[in-house]
Amino acid sequence: MMGRLSRSSAEAFDADDELAGLRSRFAIPEERTIYLDGNSLGRPPLEVRQRVLSLLDDEWAGRLVRGWNEGWYDAPRRVGELIGRIVGAAPDEILVSDSTTVDLFKAVTAALRMRPGRTAIVSDILNFPSDLYVIEGVAKLLGAGHRLELIGSRDGGVTPDLDALSEAIDRRPALVVLSHVTYKSGYLYDLAAVTRAAHERGALTVWDLSHSVGVVPIDLDAAQADFAVGCTYKYLNGGPGSPAFVFARREVAEKSESPIWGWFGRESPFSFELEYRAAPGVARFLAGTPPILSLIALEAALAPTLGSGPELLRRKSTALTEYLIALFDARLASLGFTLHTPREAEQRGSHVAIGHPAGYQISQALIGEMGVIPDFREPDLIRLGCAPLYTSFTEIWDAVDRMKKVVEERRFERYSSTRHAVT
Ligand SMILES: *Cc1c(COP(=O)(O)O)cnc(C)c1O
């Protein structure tokens, strides 16, 4: 192989990579496994282990219930403040608790109630199906005639139809609910522009930042975003099932109501008053006791992201996806693979989706015998996540080389196309 796309070019990129040293801050027991699924479950940062051990031994075992007044009770706000630095939110506008699904339910319900009389909820067919289920469930629950209007795509699901989006917004919907980076194609919305357009028509916005937080610079306050939610076990490396964050802009939070009136979202929960009174600001979106073990693990896990900053992470992420797409063109396109991610760097997040009629079997062969872990999304997409904190250019090169080999040597044919429970 020659020049820019040879394996030695990948090694040269790694040698020049200002973030390369960060990989040593992660627990990586099998160096040979190429992990390209950090967009689904990030690798564990080293500090998490020490922090969790001390949480178990010193805090839980040692301090017992006293732990609540020694850092546990404040954890949703404290960890929220750290994530606020990553997404451009003030400390009183964001907190961490519950799952993305539950936080989305709270945000969508609160937002719809702030726009009585308006019935349209705009989203797109690229959105995570679970997000659409939540919206439809809320519409049914409110029983106020809300309907979901889905924007389509004119290129087979890679990019949304932006003209249709702006027409839908012109019809003055109640709400626009979108994933900042879409989970399959990795399309990246212009969050500020869509928010501005929605506001010009009096609509509110709920952004799902699950696939952008930690890899795309985000400034929720500058964009005047209304609500946002996001996952912390993907690029933020919080660990399986780590709790999500919920953001509500200060002026919006004060006027909004959580649909779940729990004691943690009440003003002074430990007064044990019989009547509910919402806590000030975003704190009303807390519900019950937060998952402290996961929350404290997440707090420790944020260190590498906070230390690098969004601009450097974005620069490396873009370089990785750019390189992956160049390798796709040179080495995979002729083998029946197709690209399902935008080619323009400013239109994509940090993963690249590659289709193939035997996509599922190829992903199984990569995992089964090639030491590469991607993930698979229906109907035929292999998703390759580039986590700028620990993915190297050489790993990208080797993964593409092995994908090529799996198809050229028809190794995938030995694998069944029957799906596992978790793909
Ligand atoms: C990963 C992801 C979720 C996950 O939600 P959970 O409640 O953690 O299962 C939700 N929305 C989007 C867009 C995601 O990418």
Side-chain angles (χ1 to χ4, degrees), residues 99-102 127-128 131 179 183 208 210-211 231 233-234:
S99 64
T100 306
T101 305
V102 171
N127 207 347
F128 195 55
D131 288 24
S179 286
Y183 83 108
D208 188 330
S210 292
H211 278 284
C231 210
Y233 49 77
K234 294 172 177 164

Side-chain angles (χ1 to χ4, degrees), residues 163-400:
D163 294 332
L165 177 62
S166 92
E167 285 159 23
I169 291 175
D170 280 344
R171 291 192 289 274
R172 309 180 78 80
L175 195 57
V176 179
V177 188
L178 294 168
S179 286
H180 187 202
V181 167
T182 63
Y183 83 108
K184 269 206 273 200
S185 74
Y187 174 79
L188 168 63
Y189 270 103
D190 184 337
L191 184 151
V194 174
T195 301
R196 203 177 316 116
H199 287 175
E200 280 166 8
R201 294 287 181 268
L204 292 168
T205 53
V206 179
W207 287 100
D208 188 330
L209 308 178
S210 292
H211 278 284
S212 58
V213 62
V215 286
V216 175
I218 299 170
D219 196 337
L220 292 173
D221 277 339
Q224 296 272 298
D226 302 299
F227 292 94
V229 299
C231 210
T232 63
Y233 49 77
K234 294 172 177 164
Y235 295 111
L236 295 182
N237 313 303
S242 63
F245 60 89
V246 55
F247 161 90
R249 183 156 53 88
R250 193 172 295 130
E251 306 85 74
V252 171
E254 287 308 332
K255 291 183 213 136
S256 66
E257 191 173 276
S258 171
I260 304 175
W261 289 10
W263 64 322
F264 271 68
R266 193 197 184 280
E267 192 188 294
S268 35
F270 288 87
S271 62
F272 291 104
E273 309 261 4
L274 295 185
E275 273 153 50
Y276 174 80
R277 259 208 324 267
V282 74
R284 67 193 60 189
F285 288 98
L286 287 170
T289 309
I292 296 299
L293 298 185
S294 300
L295 197 43
I296 303 280
L298 167 63
E299 181 173 32
L302 293 173
T305 301
L306 289 166
S308 323
E311 303 302 331
L312 284 183
L313 290 170
R314 174 66 174 164
R315 196 183 316 156
K316 169 143 181 218
S317 152
T318 304
L320 287 167
T321 54
E322 200 81 58
Y323 188 56
L324 175 48
I325 291 172
L327 288 167
F328 162 86
D329 286 334
R331 312 198 66 203
L332 298 179
S334 62
L335 295 172
F337 287 102
T338 47
L339 185 68
H340 282 258
T341 292
R343 288 184 174 273
E344 300 71 24
E346 64 279 9
Q347 285 185 19
R348 66 172 186 265
S350 204
H351 69 268
V352 172
I354 295 179
H356 191 284
Y360 187 73
Q361 290 165 286
I362 295 168
S363 72
Q364 288 303 300
L366 287 170
I367 298 166
E369 60 186 89
M370 304 306 274
V372 177
I373 305 181
D375 71 9
F376 174 81
R377 285 296 173 263
E378 296 291 351
D380 62 1
L381 295 179
I382 300 164
R383 251 188 351 180
L384 304 170
C386 302
L389 288 172
Y390 51 76
T391 303
S392 69
F393 291 88
T394 312
E395 285 182 304
I396 298 290
W397 197 93
D398 287 342
V400 167

Side-chain angles (χ1 to χ4, degrees), residues 151-168:
I151 301 308
S153 166
R154 290 193 286 205
D155 59 7
V158 178
T159 63
D161 183 343
L162 293 182
D163 294 332
L165 177 62
S166 92
E167 285 159 23

Side-chain angles (χ1 to χ4, degrees), residues 15-250:
D16 278 349
D17 172 12
E18 56 205 329
L19 298 185
L22 288 170
R23 187 178 168 96
S24 65
R25 294 185 58 180
F26 289 81
I28 304 184
E30 288 178 89
E31 270 292 342
R32 285 198 316 270
T33 301
I34 297 177
Y35 188 59
L36 298 180
D37 206 9
N39 54 316
S40 199
L41 177 67
R43 286 185 181 272
L46 288 176
E47 40 266 271
V48 173
R49 184 184 152 77
Q50 271 321 308
R51 186 66 192 86
V52 170
L53 287 176
S54 134
L55 174 63
L56 291 175
D57 296 342
D58 306 330
E59 296 182 28
W60 182 8
R63 303 300 298 160
L64 294 164
V65 76
R66 290 166 290 185
W68 281 109
N69 281 323
E70 296 169 1
W72 299 349
Y73 181 69
D74 296 329
R77 282 166 255 254
R78 194 173 68 238
V79 183
E81 198 234 295
L82 296 178
I83 294 178
R85 294 185 207 165
I86 300 168
V87 299
D92 62 333
E93 296 179 312
I94 183 165
L95 48 83
V96 181
S97 79
D98 302 322
S99 64
T100 306
T101 305
V102 171
D103 284 337
L104 184 71
F105 169 81
K106 294 182 240 176
V108 168
T109 309
L112 286 178
R113 286 178 161 160
M114 293 175 76
R115 287 294 178 272
R118 293 193 181 205
T119 52
I121 306 164
V122 176
S123 188
D124 69 17
I125 62 166
L126 277 60
N127 207 347
F128 195 55
S130 176
D131 288 24
L132 302 181
Y133 309 153
V134 167
I135 297 169
E136 299 222 75
V138 172
K140 185 169 178 200
L141 180 74
L142 293 180
H146 289 108
R147 63 196 158 76
L148 177 58
E149 180 177 347
L150 291 182
I151 301 308
S153 166
R154 290 193 286 205
D155 59 7
V158 178
T159 63
D161 183 343
L162 293 182
D163 294 332
L165 177 62
S166 92
E167 285 159 23
I169 291 175
D170 280 344
R171 291 192 289 274
R172 309 180 78 80
L175 195 57
V176 179
V177 188
L178 294 168
S179 286
H180 187 202
V181 167
T182 63
Y183 83 108
K184 269 206 273 200
S185 74
Y187 174 79
L188 168 63
Y189 270 103
D190 184 337
L191 184 151
V194 174
T195 301
R196 203 177 316 116
H199 287 175
E200 280 166 8
R201 294 287 181 268
L204 292 168
T205 53
V206 179
W207 287 100
D208 188 330
L209 308 178
S210 292
H211 278 284
S212 58
V213 62
V215 286
V216 175
I218 299 170
D219 196 337
L220 292 173
D221 277 339
Q224 296 272 298
D226 302 299
F227 292 94
V229 299
C231 210
T232 63
Y233 49 77
K234 294 172 177 164
Y235 295 111
L236 295 182
N237 313 303
S242 63
F245 60 89
V246 55
F247 161 90
R249 183 156 53 88
R250 193 172 295 130

